[in-house]
């Protein structure tokens, strides 16, 4: 549990630390959306390259980013195994009884694993570079138009 850094704030003076938290929140939602758009390796490679660029901008230790990915490794492994064993399209590489591993299964498993890792690492950058109080205030300001429909934005942001 000591190694889990997910959701923690690490003070700093990088460009990302100084950026308006509302902008960061909008950008992370756009990034999450953009990670699901690519259907090929080039598009996913661009998403990974952008993530690496932002990590460099944040001036956070790379070790810290890997610590945020560590808790999701079991999820990534299970998801990958399911894709490897249940996708039967492509060239068969291995077959033993009902177990079949195909090129499409391995490709899909790799693609999804990279997507999940990008999502967690990108989201972690938001919490690493923005204090919880600032994050809550930013969310409240982003949701403020919902006050028109009598929604208690403050309570929603606090949750």
């Amino acid at each position: 549990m000591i190694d889990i850094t997910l959701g923690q704030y690490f003070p700093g003076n990088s460009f990302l630390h100084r950026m308006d938290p509302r902008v960061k929140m909008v950008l992370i939602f756009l990034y999450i959306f953009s990670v699901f758009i690519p259907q090929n390796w080039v598009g996913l490679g661009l998403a990974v390259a952008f993530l690496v660029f932002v990590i460099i901008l944040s001036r956070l230790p790379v070790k810290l980013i890997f610590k945020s990915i560590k808790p999701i490794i079991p999820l990534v492994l299970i998801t990958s195994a399911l894709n490897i064993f249940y996708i039967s399209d492509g060239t068969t590489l291995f077959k033993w009884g009902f177990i079949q591993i195909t090129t499409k299964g391995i490709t899909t498993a790799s693609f999804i694993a990279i997507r999940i890792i990008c999502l967690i690492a990108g989201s972690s950058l938001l919490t690493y570079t923005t204090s919880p109080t600032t994050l809550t205030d930013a969310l409240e300001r982003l949701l403020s138009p919902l006050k028109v429909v009598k929604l208690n934005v403050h309570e929603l942001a606090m949750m």
Side-chain angles (χ1 to χ4, degrees):
M1 289 297 281
I2 277 177
D3 283 346
I4 297 177
T5 60
L6 200 61
Q8 291 184 6
Y9 169 65
F10 293 91
N13 194 26
S14 70
F15 172 74
L16 215 56
H17 282 85
R18 293 187 310 267
M19 186 184 285
D20 186 306
R22 294 170 296 182
V23 173
K24 284 193 263 189
M25 289 179 89
V26 169
L27 289 176
I28 193 62
F29 284 120
L30 289 174
Y31 179 72
I32 288 170
F33 181 72
S34 71
V35 167
F36 285 104
I37 292 174
Q39 298 300 315
N40 58 39
W41 289 103
V42 174
L44 190 60
L46 289 173
V48 170
F50 180 75
L51 179 64
V52 169
F53 173 71
V54 174
I55 290 170
I56 291 168
L57 268 182
S58 73
R59 294 189 195 151
L60 292 169
V62 175
K63 183 179 178 183
L64 190 63
I65 305 302
F66 285 120
K67 280 185 176 183
S68 70
I69 295 169
K70 187 177 178 180
I72 63 146
I73 289 175
L75 174 71
V76 171
L77 292 175
I78 290 168
T79 305
S80 296
L82 289 173
N83 280 290
I84 287 173
F85 294 124
Y86 286 112
I87 294 178
S88 57
D89 296 343
T91 307
T92 301
L93 300 174
F94 176 81
K95 185 171 176 79
W96 183 61
F98 67 91
I99 297 173
Q100 179 177 346
I101 298 175
T102 64
T103 53
K104 180 71 173 174
I106 291 174
T107 303
T108 303
S110 303
F111 207 82
I112 290 174
I114 292 169
R115 275 185 173 161
I116 293 170
I117 290 168
C118 284
L119 293 173
I120 297 301
S123 300
S124 295
L125 282 173
L126 176 67
T127 58
Y128 287 159
T129 60
T130 315
S131 71
T133 306
T134 307
L135 209 51
T136 305
D137 291 342
L139 184 58
E140 186 174 348
R141 285 181 292 202
L142 281 173
L143 296 175
S144 65
L146 296 175
K147 289 179 182 178
V148 173
V149 291
K150 306 290 186 216
L151 190 64
N152 191 337
V153 173
H154 176 72
E155 284 186 23
L156 187 60
M158 291 300 288
M159 286 190 286

